[in-house]
């Protein structure tokens, strides 16, 4: 690891085995290089699952379903608590792997990703034991109706690379809690943390309840999505991937749970606390190098504070620390790959080729090792610009000026995306009115980005329709059933 900007003193062993039917096995498919994006160096090689191994994993999950689906919520909750404890005990090692594989600062992976991951397993352990529903009763004389919520079957869970272990938790915990069995596929770029967890899962859960297969989307991913024994596909990923999955799922009428991209509007009114806005956008526009579907990336600034905001935010963004050899100094990491970095660079290049867009700070690839891109702020952007309309998924924030608040709300809603949004004003009444009109799965008031396990996370429009976190997610991973009993007994 010589020359690495983020040294990890005690690098844990890099485990590369898949988990199929309770066994840790080497992949027999194509061999994938696993890189450290902070250095560009090869960390290890992982053999993907072969077609036969994907088949074995699905059949194992199918066999395990009968037993697992009949366990009680209490039994499943205890096992989920065991997983949470195992993750907590190994949090330092898992955070190190997450940091190596994503390039993200180790202290942030430990403090944010791992804590949230543990909490998600603990939340679903509790939530599955206290679900609520419709009242049973006699809605037809002589018949008693009751409602059940039952698991769906084998779920194929397909995750992205931006928060590998946390996304795994968002998918695995509610699906298992609800009584489903799983085949989980991490992103081909970031399998290390979930593969490190595989031996613990193998020890804690009955064979076949969770299977982990590595591989790319077109091979392993599309095999999972088209298999007739898979009853539901859960994807967090790109809109185009969601569309492909919907097409494949249509052939066997699978349930789908889609969490897709985002382009979060941030409406800043003249009466906002500007210092709070600057601190919020500096942090949550650029967190995880902007590789976040809720990133505060599309600012609408009211004319009265526009110039001050642009100047002060520009200074704040240019002070973001990254690519330092001392992990504790870094606030953000690199992009996941050269491909992603080049994609971000080409978005910015196209934006700056337009005369009305002004570079305030950044807008260049960082020189030195790793896939870093400078935190970038662009002003003078117009509603129709590509950089305002499309998800960049990198450390790039735009500012668009507005006069009337109704205009900003219309522009915010004029988007294919519908995941997250925020409104910044000291007038709570105004904030509530704006929040009611925004067509987004979440609206923060005088804040951005904060998630809690108890509240639903998910989008509208092309951002998808699955809900992660909260008891709503348990509903997504289960099916409602009506049981009706006729009684002829006269009392
Ligand atoms: P991606 O769509 O390229 O990949 C996501 C996963 O889908 C990977 O595991 C990939 O192998 C798999 N995949 C790709 N093609 C497939 C196919 N044809 N069949 C089956 N599986 C396939 O996305 P990414 O680049 O890893 O992640 C970035 C995207 O994820 C961004 O658009 C981002 O907004 C989105 N995202 C959304 C949320 C959310 O909560 N809404 C959270 C994180 C990321």
């Amino acid at each position: 690891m010589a020359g690495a900007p983020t040294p990890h003193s005690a690098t844990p062993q890099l485990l590369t085995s898949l988990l199929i039917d309770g066994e840790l096995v080497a992949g027999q498919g194509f061999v994938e290089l696993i890189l450290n994006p902070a250095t560009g160096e090869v960390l290890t090689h992982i053999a993907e699952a072969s077609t036969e191994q994907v088949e074995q994993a699905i059949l194992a999950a199918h066999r395990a379903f009968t037993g697992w689906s009949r366990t009680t919520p209490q039994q499943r909750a205890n096992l989920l608590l065991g997983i949470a404890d195992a993750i907590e005990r190994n949090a330092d090692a898992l955070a190190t792997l997450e940091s190596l594989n994503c390039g993200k600062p180790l202290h942030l992976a430990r403090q944010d990703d791992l804590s949230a991951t543990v909490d998600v397993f603990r939340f679903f352990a509790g939530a599955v034991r206290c679900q609520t529903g419709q009242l049973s009763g006699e809605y037809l004389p002589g018949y008693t109706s009751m409602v059940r919520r039952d698991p769906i079957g084998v779920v194929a869970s397909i995750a992205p690379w931006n928060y590998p272990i946390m996304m795994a938790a968002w998918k695995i915990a509610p699906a298992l809690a609800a009584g489903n069995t799983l085949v989980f596929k991490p992103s081909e770029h970031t399998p290390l943390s979930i593969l490190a967890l595989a031996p613990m899962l193998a020890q804690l859960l009955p064979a076949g309840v969770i299977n982990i297969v590595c591989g790319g989307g077109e091979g392993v991913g599309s095999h999972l999505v088209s298999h007739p024994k898979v009853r539901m596909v859960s994807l967090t990923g790109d809109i185009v991937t969601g569309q492909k999955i919907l097409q494949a799922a249509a052939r066997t009428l699978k349930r789908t749970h889609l969490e897709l991209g985002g382009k979060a509007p941030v409406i800043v009114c003249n009466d906002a606390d500007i210092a709070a806005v600057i601190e919020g956008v500096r942090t949550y526009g650029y967190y995880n190098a902007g590789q976040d579907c809720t990133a505060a990336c599309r600012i609408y600034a009211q004319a009265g504070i526009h110039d001050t905001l642009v100047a002060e935010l520009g200074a704040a963004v240019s002070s973001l620390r990254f690519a330092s050899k001392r992990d504790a100094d870094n606030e953000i990491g690199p992009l996941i790959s050269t491909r992603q970095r080049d994609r971000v660079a080409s978005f910015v290049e196209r934006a700056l080729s337009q005369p009305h867009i002004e570079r305030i700070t950044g807008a260049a690839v960082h020189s030195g090792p790793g896939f870093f891109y400078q935190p970038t702020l662009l002003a003078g952007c117009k509603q129709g610009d590509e950089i305002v309309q499309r998800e960049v998924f990198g450390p790039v924030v735009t500012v668009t000026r507005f006069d009337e608040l109704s205009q900003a709300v219309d522009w915010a809603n004029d988007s294919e995306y519908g995941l997250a949004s925020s409104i910044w004003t000291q007038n709570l009444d105004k904030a509530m009115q704006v929040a009611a009109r925004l067509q987004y799965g979440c609206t923060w008031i005088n804040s951005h980005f904060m998630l809690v396990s108890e509240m639903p996370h998910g989008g509208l429009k092309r951002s998808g329709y699955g809900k992660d976190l909260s008891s709503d997610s348990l509903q997504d991973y289960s099916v409602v059933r009506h049981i009706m009993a006729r009684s002829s007994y006269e009392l």
Side-chain angles (χ1 to χ4, degrees):
M1 298 300 301
T6 50
H8 298 81
S9 47
T11 301
Q13 203 189 346
L14 307 182
L15 302 182
T16 57
S17 297
L18 316 181
L19 174 60
I20 300 176
D21 203 7
E23 301 290 330
L24 298 166
V25 293
Q28 293 166 355
F30 178 77
V31 175
E32 190 86 60
L33 288 184
I34 306 299
L35 304 180
N36 178 347
T39 62
E41 291 170 336
V42 176
L43 290 168
T44 188
H45 302 76
I46 291 186
E48 298 184 345
S50 64
T51 307
E52 295 73 34
Q53 288 179 309
V54 177
E55 189 71 20
Q56 286 164 11
I58 295 169
L59 294 180
H62 180 68
R63 282 193 302 276
F65 179 70
T66 309
W68 182 248
S69 61
R70 290 180 190 164
T71 52
T72 62
Q74 184 200 40
Q75 289 169 321
R76 297 197 293 276
N78 286 342
L79 290 170
L80 290 179
L81 291 173
I83 296 174
D85 291 347
I87 296 172
E88 195 165 59
R89 275 196 306 277
N90 292 281
D92 289 339
L94 291 167
T96 301
L97 291 171
E98 202 75 330
S99 168
L100 283 171
N101 203 174
C102 303
K104 58 179 81 187
L106 174 58
H107 67 283
L108 293 179
R110 179 68 183 86
Q111 166 196 302
D112 297 345
D113 303 34
L114 267 295
S115 310
T117 300
V118 170
D119 189 61
V120 166
F121 279 100
R122 291 198 174 133
F123 168 76
F124 283 106
V128 73
R129 298 186 68 179
C130 49
Q131 294 185 82
T132 54
Q134 215 179 332
L135 294 181
S136 303
E138 289 69 44
Y139 297 96
L140 192 67
Y143 291 84
T144 300
S145 284
M146 64 199 89
V147 158
R148 296 175 57 93
R149 264 206 173 267
D150 283 336
I152 292 163
V154 177
V155 178
S157 282
I158 301 178
W161 41 255
N162 54 349
Y163 300 101
I165 197 159
M166 199 170 81
M167 289 297 112
W170 286 18
K171 295 189 171 300
I172 293 170
L176 288 185
N180 304 285
T181 55
L182 263 100
V183 182
F184 179 83
K185 189 191 90 58
S187 162
E188 53 275 38
H189 299 296
T190 54
L192 291 184
S193 52
I194 190 72
L195 292 183
L197 201 57
M200 300 174 224
L201 295 172
Q203 230 176 23
L204 286 164
L205 296 170
V209 167
I210 179 159
N211 303 271
I212 300 171
V213 293
C214 292
E218 296 298 334
V220 173
S222 57
H223 188 158
L224 285 172
V225 169
S226 53
H227 199 285
K229 288 218 175 340
V230 169
R231 301 290 179 212
M232 173 172 172
V233 180
S234 161
L235 167 79
T236 299
D238 197 66
I239 291 177
V240 174
T241 310
Q243 288 166 328
K244 286 185 191 163
I245 282 177
L246 274 181
Q247 279 167 357
R251 286 197 282 277
T252 42
L253 275 180
K254 293 185 200 322
R255 284 169 182 259
T256 51
H257 182 278
L258 301 180
E259 281 278 18
L260 307 175
K263 183 81 185 173
V266 178
I267 301 177
V268 186
C269 300
N270 284 338
D271 61 358
D273 173 347
I274 294 301
V277 175
I278 288 163
E279 194 192 331
V281 175
R282 180 185 183 277
T283 307
Y284 300 124
Y286 299 89
Y287 189 86
N288 211 34
Q291 298 165 112
D292 190 296
C293 47
T294 66
C297 59
R298 179 164 55 113
I299 300 179
Y300 294 104
Q302 200 158 19
I305 48 85
H306 174 275
D307 294 354
T308 310
L309 178 70
V310 169
E312 292 184 12
L313 185 59
V317 170
S318 61
S319 74
L320 275 163
R321 299 183 307 272
F322 62 98
S324 161
K325 289 194 166 140
R326 253 176 53 90
D327 181 82
D329 289 344
N330 290 321
E331 295 176 273
I332 64 174
L335 280 308
I336 194 69
S337 60
T338 45
R339 184 167 173 263
Q340 183 66 11
R341 187 191 58 191
D342 294 347
R343 184 174 175 272
V344 170
S346 66
F347 265 115
V348 173
E349 225 168 89
R350 287 194 297 278
L352 288 174
S353 70
Q354 311 209 56
H356 60 272
I357 297 185
E358 186 190 354
R359 170 194 165 280
I360 304 299
T361 186
V365 166
H366 174 69
S367 61
F371 312 144
F372 292 92
Y373 192 81
Q374 292 176 358
T376 298
L377 183 68
L378 303 176
C381 302
K382 294 187 180 159
Q383 179 62 11
D385 291 338
E386 178 196 51
I387 199 79
V388 173
Q389 290 291 333
R390 288 196 51 203
E391 182 184 48
V392 175
F393 224 57
V396 179
V397 172
T398 63
V399 185
T400 301
R401 181 196 295 260
F402 73 90
D403 292 308
E404 298 301 324
L405 186 53
S406 59
Q407 174 73 90
V409 173
D410 288 347
W411 279 342
N413 284 336
D414 168 33
S415 168
E416 292 297 342
Y417 298 97
L419 187 61
S421 56
S422 61
I423 164 78
W424 299 73
T425 166
Q426 294 189 48
N427 180 336
L428 193 57
D429 194 20
K430 187 199 294 185
M432 294 304 287
Q433 291 304 316
V434 171
R437 280 191 53 202
L438 285 172
Q439 295 158 354
Y440 286 83
C442 176
T443 298
W444 289 282
I445 296 173
N446 294 324
S447 181
H448 201 102
F449 201 76
M450 309 313 289
L451 299 175
V452 288
S453 298
E454 292 82 355
M455 289 291 139
H457 170 79
L460 306 175
K461 299 188 263 181
R462 291 198 200 180
S463 291
Y465 42 74
K467 290 287 176 239
D468 282 329
L469 306 176
S470 80
S471 50
D472 291 291
S473 177
L474 279 179
Q475 304 223 340
D476 283 2
Y477 285 100
S478 61
V479 59
V480 70
R481 298 180 54 226
H482 173 204
I483 308 293
M484 194 180 214
R486 185 165 75 93
S487 171
S488 49
Y489 187 77
E490 296 279 338
L491 190 65

